[in-house]
Amino acid sequence: MIELAGVGKRYGRGPWVLRGVGLELAPTGLAVLLGVNGSGKSTLLKVLAGIVVPTEGTVSGRGTVGYVPERFPASLKLSARNYLQHQAAVRGTRETGIELLDRLGFIGDLDRPMAQLSKGNTQRVALVQALVARPELLVLDEPFAGLDERSRAELCALVHEAVRDGATAVVTDHTGSRSRLASTLTVTVTDGAVRPVEPGAGGTGAVALACPSGVRSEVESLPGVLQSTTDGPLLALDVLGTELDAVLAAALALGCSVHEVRRERATAAS
Ligand SMILES: Nc1ncnc2c1ncn2[C@@H]1O[C@H](COP(=O)(O)OP(=O)(O)OP(=O)(O)O)[C@@H](O)[C@H]1O
């Protein structure tokens, strides 16, 4: 069990980004974090991964960690092959995970400096270095960004395999790909507070809206909106299931039209 107790984080003398966070993550399972931009999701993931030390509170039980940051350092002079070989050597194994790169759709030169790789290929290398180590805790910050549809599906399969093999995975996502993940827990991050979406509370809903100009920020700040992103001409929202009808009614009253509505419930990981 990974447990956060009374966790707070502020950067320097800045405002509290997280405050009073208590969270328990089961030893095997997949948690999805939802929250609007700047709500503190990346900070929470860094605290979970041990990259950022909380200003107050404790984190216990995390074991070995695989972490994929939202932005992988792009200036690496090492080639993807040398980087993965180096990571394997640090772990004391010859298992580089290069075959996982194929599975994730890496097409290109493994021997070019990573700084010259596309965002998608850099993301694939970052994912492989985390997955191949078979960590007890897998922390993935926007792991689907930069990947094509096939690679996203393959990544979902790899995350499910890791969870099936006993890992705890924690994921954020703005691309909509998380709907394919069999999550066991959904957690919202709002104003520095972290709350699990209670089972039986109606789960979450995904909504795609076409909104007249000028009403977007009003729609995004409706009670129950957990996360928003632009999907072409549409505004894509993640909404607390219990507030879904009210958000739809308010959006319609503001002149938006509804393109898609999907209810999502936490399910047992398969
Ligand atoms: N290293 C840092 N130094 C100072 N402030 C920071 C630092 N990292 C994050 N913050 C601030 O903490 C707040 C939360 O940022 P964080 O990246 O955790 O949010 P987020 O929910 O992941 O946002 P996004 O979805 O935009 O990445 C923001 O106001 C951000 O500016």
Side-chain angles (χ1 to χ4, degrees), residues 13 35 46 69 79 83 89 93 114 117 124 126 130 138 155-156 164 170 177 186 197 201 204 210 235 265:
R13 294 183 179 196
K46 286 177 192 162
S79 68
Y83 173 73
T93 146
M114 281 181 59
L117 294 179
R124 290 175 174 93
L138 195 53
L155 175 58
C156 286
R164 187 199 59 208
V170 189
S177 302
T186 302
V197 176
T204 58
L235 178 63
R265 289 176 188 279

Side-chain angles (χ1 to χ4, degrees), residues 39-224:
S39 57
K41 300 182 300 294
S42 295
T43 300
L44 179 60
L45 290 185
K46 286 177 192 162
V47 167
L48 267 170
I51 308 289
V52 154
V53 179
T55 313
E56 59 185 25
T58 55
V59 183
S60 58
R62 67 161 77 82
T64 53
V65 178
Y67 172 62
V68 176
E70 193 173 7
R71 275 172 287 276
F72 198 60
S75 58
L76 284 178
K77 292 193 179 104
L78 281 179
S79 68
R81 189 191 309 280
N82 285 343
Y83 173 73
L84 291 174
Q85 282 170 343
H86 172 74
Q87 294 290 327
V90 169
R91 292 196 311 280
T93 146
R94 291 180 164 213
E95 200 181 5
T96 58
I98 281 173
E99 73 292 345
L100 287 182
L101 271 183
D102 285 342
R103 216 177 132 182
L104 281 173
F106 182 103
I107 299 171
D109 190 346
L110 276 172
D111 296 306
R112 268 168 66 174
M114 281 181 59
Q116 294 176 17
L117 294 179
S118 66
K119 176 171 165 41
N121 276 340
T122 309
Q123 181 71 353
R124 290 175 174 93
V125 177
L127 288 162
V128 166
Q129 62 79 26
L131 287 160
V132 71
R134 297 191 188 83
E136 290 158 89
L137 174 63
L138 195 53
V139 178
L140 306 177
D141 199 348
E142 297 292 334
F144 300 102
L147 300 186
D148 56 72
E149 273 307 302
R150 216 187 113 255
S151 307
R152 287 178 182 181
E154 205 55 60
L155 175 58
C156 286
L158 285 166
V159 171
H160 287 149
E161 283 169 31
V163 171
R164 187 199 59 208
D165 293 345
T168 301
V170 189
V171 179
T172 61
D173 172 49
H174 262 100
T175 68
S177 302
R178 70 183 175 81
S179 60
R180 291 197 221 129
L181 287 171
S183 59
T184 44
L185 176 68
T186 302
V187 176
T188 65
V189 187
T190 314
D191 296 332
V194 172
R195 292 185 193 84
V197 176
E198 296 297 333
T204 58
V207 179
L209 302 168
C211 296
S213 59
V215 305
R216 181 182 165 134
S217 62
E218 209 171 328
V219 173
E220 286 174 327
S221 53
L222 288 168

Side-chain angles (χ1 to χ4, degrees), residues 242-262:
T242 47
E243 305 298 325
L244 190 54
D245 291 346
V247 167
L248 287 170
L252 287 168
L254 287 165
C256 304
S257 60
V258 178
H259 279 238
E260 196 183 342
V261 183
R262 207 171 54 237

